[in-house]
Amino acid sequence: MELIQNVPDLAAYLAADDAIDQEHPVVRRTVATLSADAPDAYAYAEAAFTFVRDAIPHSVDSGDPRVTWRASDVLETCTGICYATSHALVALLRARGIPAALCYQKFEAVHGLIALKLPGRERWVRQDARGGEAGAGAQFRLDREQLAFTVRPEFNEVDYPVLFAEPHPAVLQCLRDAVDQRRLAQLLPTAL
């Protein structure tokens, strides 16, 4: 599948916004911690991926009723669904100057993941930092994708090829409108 930037300018994939608040002190502290043992962009990207996947449980799996949507909130509370953890990973990557995008898959509901573009690489590579039991198979890979879920077209599941510089409006709206996980489950978009 060919991935398509929704914004042609690569600088958009380094920018901050309300959800990707990469200048927040919590994000900056996490970047500093992860950078200590990561001598280059490749090692840092893998460390950031592994941290988000392993240290931030998917809130549905853990039973945490809180809904987070800002990267800093995800890192501070150590909880979030796939959209929120994707926001956190994108913020951690962008804070180190690594272009990162948000992308999505469609199953019963839309699933969030990210793509990154490392120095010296011509193409974007999707990564899925969804941790927990359902995402246990997700690995940081540059040679091929190893995502939490594989789409099955025969069940009308879709890999959306668009790389978003900002969270998709439907995703961001459901996160902002949900007061808890129960309400969030009712608001999850089923398509983009």
Side-chain angles (χ1 to χ4, degrees), residues 106-110 160 168 170 188-192:
K106 176 194 170 292
F107 298 100
E108 288 183 24
V110 172
Y160 292 111
H168 189 281
L188 291 173
T190 56
L192 296 182

Side-chain angles (χ1 to χ4, degrees), residues 35-46:
S35 294
D37 294 324
D40 59 31
Y42 294 84
Y44 177 81
E46 184 171 10

Side-chain angles (χ1 to χ4, degrees), residues 33 42 50 64 72 77 89 105 127 137 157 170 173 179:
T33 300
Y42 294 84
T50 303
D64 193 320
S72 58
T77 62
L89 181 53
Q105 297 174 306
Q127 306 289 336
E157 297 173 350
Q173 192 64 48
V179 294

Side-chain angles (χ1 to χ4, degrees), residues 14-150:
L14 291 167
D17 62 31
D18 286 346
I20 314 298
D21 58 344
Q22 64 203 42
E23 296 302 324
H24 191 281
V26 170
V27 177
R28 301 307 293 178
R29 280 194 304 274
T30 306
V31 169
T33 300
L34 294 171
S35 294
D37 294 324
D40 59 31
Y42 294 84
Y44 177 81
E46 184 171 10
F49 168 88
T50 303
F51 172 77
V52 172
R53 184 196 61 197
D54 296 350
I56 303 174
H58 191 283
S59 51
V60 172
D61 294 344
S62 67
D64 193 320
R66 297 173 292 177
V67 176
T68 54
W69 59 274
R70 283 187 182 94
S72 58
D73 293 338
V74 173
L75 296 171
E76 191 165 48
T77 62
C78 289
T79 193
I81 66 166
C82 58
Y83 310 140
T85 57
S86 292
H87 298 170
L89 181 53
V90 165
L92 292 172
L93 293 169
R94 289 182 182 182
R96 272 290 301 263
I98 300 169
L102 296 156
C103 43
Y104 304 94
Q105 297 174 306
K106 176 194 170 292
F107 298 100
E108 288 183 24
V110 172
H111 172 62
L113 52 151
I114 71 115
L116 56 87
K117 192 169 190 181
L118 288 165
R121 298 256 176 174
E122 290 188 26
R123 65 181 189 90
W124 290 88
V125 181
R126 293 190 309 168
Q127 306 289 336
D128 190 346
R130 188 214 193 279
E133 190 173 319
Q139 299 294 319
F140 184 83
R141 302 284 307 246
L142 299 176
D143 58 336
R144 65 178 173 82
E145 291 183 345
Q146 192 167 340
L147 308 176
F149 307 109
T150 303

